Amino acid sequence: MSGVWTLAEFREDRINSVSYELLAWGRSLADTLKVELSSVILGCEIKDVESLFDHGSDIVYKVDDKRVEHFLPDTYSNIIFSLVKKYDPQIIIASATTYGRTIMPVLSTKLNTGLTADCTKLEIGDDGTLLQTRPAIGGNVMATIRTQTRLQMATVRPRSKKPISYDKSQRKIIVPEIEDELFKSAYRWIKFERDESTDLPIQEADVVISGGRGMRDEKNFEMLYALAKELNGVVGASRTAVDMGWIPYSHQVGLSGKTVSPHLYMAFGISGAIQHIAGMSSSDIVIAVNTDPDAPIFNVADFGIVGDATEILPELLKALGDKNE
Amino acid sequence: MKIGVLIKQVPATDKVRMDEKTGTMVRSEMEAELNPLDMYAVEEAVRIKERLKDVHITAITMGPQSASDAIRDAISIGCDDGYLLTDRRFAGADTWATAYTLSMAIKKVGGFDLILCGERATDGETGQVGPSVGSQMGIPVLTYVSEIVDLTDKHVRVKRAIEGGHEIVEVDLPALISVVKEINDPRIPNLSGKLKAKFAEIGSLDSVSIEADQSKIGLGGSPTKVVKVFYPKLTRSGEIVRSKDPQSSIKALLNFLKSKEII
């Protein structure tokens, strides 16, 4: 039995910060169960493994090989499958990123074990099993789920826990021997095209500045980018703004877009259709600006301004600019 | 080329409303629709059919009898036929059991070169069933696909929308692809499509006809169990400023941001 495992992500030459959030969850589970916490990391020329220990890992299983430089679902799942069979963890968690949400279902099927998606809370029940709490129907319902199999697997929503620092780590790196056969892949990886914007994905941002129909046109979105820059945030959008072509789909917040839970969410010219609220209601602080005093977005706001977003924004930017001078 | 599209019927999202008293969301149990994110998979299949010769599209769903409406919606947009997997014993299936059941049905219908599905359903929101079906079948899984760059009888090359950009990957067929909303703009069914859907004969499959292992389906075959359900309160009672003067509104906002230590 080798305790709790987290799947760390190494991409574009660095360990993704969600890997550390995952360790914070893993640490609390491992401490309750009095077992070791491990990270599993695959990649090529992996750097900064020590940081995994600093954030909670006791052990790191490292597969550093040119053949796993890119995420290949079959190779990755075959390798992790072989490690699971050899080292026998009782819990495996991954972030609910495109990586975690792809590898985990593939892996759990191979392992014949249950998997719970996009959890916002993980705890150990009285009987020592993993209790996995997740929102469904856009946060309408919260469900706590238990897995019947001994091995229990879950993906965890980014930003659902803050990373911790840890100084009791055993700092043990295990470099397992992997048969050549397992590296074979049906996938031919061609290339990665980085988006021009260097923004964080909206699900991982601390501050999300969103715009909707009330922004009136694409040009006005520039003010949102300026405000996002000012507050170290990223720009989100309502479905309307995306449908109008003002901003790409990857920025859409809501039931048919992304679910975000930043520290600060600002909604400009968004009326707050229930589908939008479903995607942002778990934010810590919500600020809304809308011309309609009856707009439902005000029901979920901690602070609101009844007014035209395109008039408020320039003034707000000016005031913030003045403050900095 | 034979394309299978996996679809799901979900409670209608535009019928959701907020319960003013409890601050929770309520949705009508009666109204159902084809999962909005599945529309993109159906549309993409139809576009492939328009582009290539001899393409046959089959929509497959699991659900109660009424879920045949979802199949009809898919046919109205351009799918050729469809199967409804319905059986009391399927009820209560989690994503693992659902993926097992769908994969057995796909094997039964047989011969698919490509299987398409949506990113996730708007009710369960797991996004796990598509990749699990591919894994059950032992075929390559391509998730978060925002463009089919190239498709022949032998292989498919796609663009995947992942964090920070797009990745281009290629696999040989058969393969399973889950698509994101970015991929296309689904069409509205026309009258002839609606008529075709109305009179279409929909195939029916149950746990016996797909030769499913009865211990792997429905609630009993599900490794995960819901132990508790609760309804979080979403409403907050914040300060709402209704000033005619933008300056005083801004001042109040700045004070609020300061009080929260944001600026």
Side-chain angles (χ1 to χ4, degrees), chain A:
Chain A
M1 156 113 52
S2 67
V4 178
W5 283 14
T6 70
L7 303 189
E9 292 182 39
F10 184 77
R11 256 191 76 213
E12 291 194 278
D13 228 26
R14 64 181 189 93
I15 295 173
N16 188 336
S17 60
V18 292
S19 306
Y20 307 128
E21 297 173 13
L22 206 54
L23 284 172
W25 279 117
R27 194 69 254 166
S28 73
L29 301 177
D31 286 346
T32 310
L33 290 167
K34 299 190 171 58
V35 296
E36 287 163 336
L37 175 64
S38 306
S39 294
V40 179
I41 190 162
L42 285 79
C44 180
E45 290 174 32
I46 299 167
K47 293 181 186 69
D48 212 15
V49 167
E50 294 294 320
S51 69
L52 295 169
F53 299 130
D54 299 337
H55 288 95
S57 261
D58 295 308
I59 301 168
V60 171
Y61 293 89
K62 187 172 82 161
V63 180
D64 194 331
D65 194 292
K66 182 77 187 146
R67 292 168 289 181
V68 287
E69 183 177 3
H70 306 293
F71 171 44
L72 308 168
D74 51 358
T75 301
Y76 271 56
S77 62
N78 287 337
I79 290 174
I80 299 171
F81 179 87
S82 75
L83 297 181
V84 171
K85 288 294 171 197
K86 187 168 175 190
Y87 297 99
D88 197 30
Q90 64 206 88
I91 292 171
I92 307 176
I93 55 176
S95 296
T97 54
T98 60
Y99 168 67
R101 296 187 89 153
T102 304
I103 185 93
M104 291 290 269
V106 171
L107 195 57
S108 78
T109 307
K110 281 183 204 270
L111 288 163
N112 276 322
T113 189
L115 173 63
T116 305
D118 207 22
C119 300
T120 51
K121 189 177 175 191
L122 296 174
E123 62 200 319
I124 301 295
D126 295 339
D127 59 351
T129 61
L130 181 64
L131 295 176
Q132 307 148 90
T133 300
R134 67 178 304 264
I137 326 184
N140 179 11
V141 179
M142 299 294 288
T144 301
I145 292 161
R146 178 182 282 151
T147 309
Q148 319 275 75
T149 43
R150 192 189 82 88
L151 174 60
Q152 304 153 87
M153 297 173 68
T155 59
V156 182
R157 179 174 290 187
R159 296 194 44 80
S160 56
K161 201 172 183 74
K162 284 194 172 51
I164 51 159
S165 35
Y166 187 65
D167 55 11
K168 295 198 280 286
S169 175
Q170 304 172 25
R171 306 185 97 87
K172 186 159 120 193
I173 297 178
I174 296 177
V175 180
E177 218 166 287
I178 309 287
E179 291 168 50
D180 275 350
E181 188 67 22
L182 297 182
F183 283 99
K184 283 191 183 151
S185 180
Y187 295 74
R188 294 181 287 279
W189 191 89
I190 313 289
K191 64 175 171 180
F192 177 66
E193 295 169 345
R194 173 153 265 296
D195 283 349
E196 277 175 34
S197 108
T198 53
D199 288 347
L200 271 178
I202 58 170
Q203 308 99 294
E204 291 170 32
D206 245 346
V207 174
V208 177
I209 310 293
S210 282
R213 187 191 299 271
M215 292 302 293
R216 295 211 191 90
D217 60 35
E218 189 176 349
K219 214 176 120 278
N220 284 328
F221 261 66
E222 281 165 25
M223 293 188 282
L224 300 178
Y225 289 105
L227 182 60
K229 200 175 166 202
E230 190 73 39
L231 300 174
N232 290 319
V234 300
V235 175
S238 71
R239 179 175 163 177
T240 311
V242 171
D243 287 350
M244 300 291 260
W246 297 343
I247 186 164
Y249 167 63
S250 56
H251 296 259
Q252 184 181 321
V253 174
L255 210 49
S256 59
K258 304 279 190 289
T259 302
V260 297
S261 33
H263 180 57
L264 172 65
Y265 188 86
M266 295 182 85
F268 288 94
I270 293 175
S271 61
I274 204 98
Q275 293 76 15
H276 185 79
I277 289 173
M280 47 62 73
S281 61
S282 58
S283 307
D284 295 338
I285 302 168
V286 176
I287 295 175
V289 178
N290 202 290
T291 46
D292 176 6
D294 298 321
I297 191 81
F298 289 124
N299 293 332
V300 296
D302 298 293
F303 185 88
I305 294 178
V306 179
D308 187 329
T310 62
E311 286 170 17
I312 297 287
L313 270 163
E315 297 293 333
L316 176 61
L317 286 167
K318 191 163 165 286
L320 289 170
D322 290 347
K323 190 189 122 289
N324 292 343
E325 271 165 20

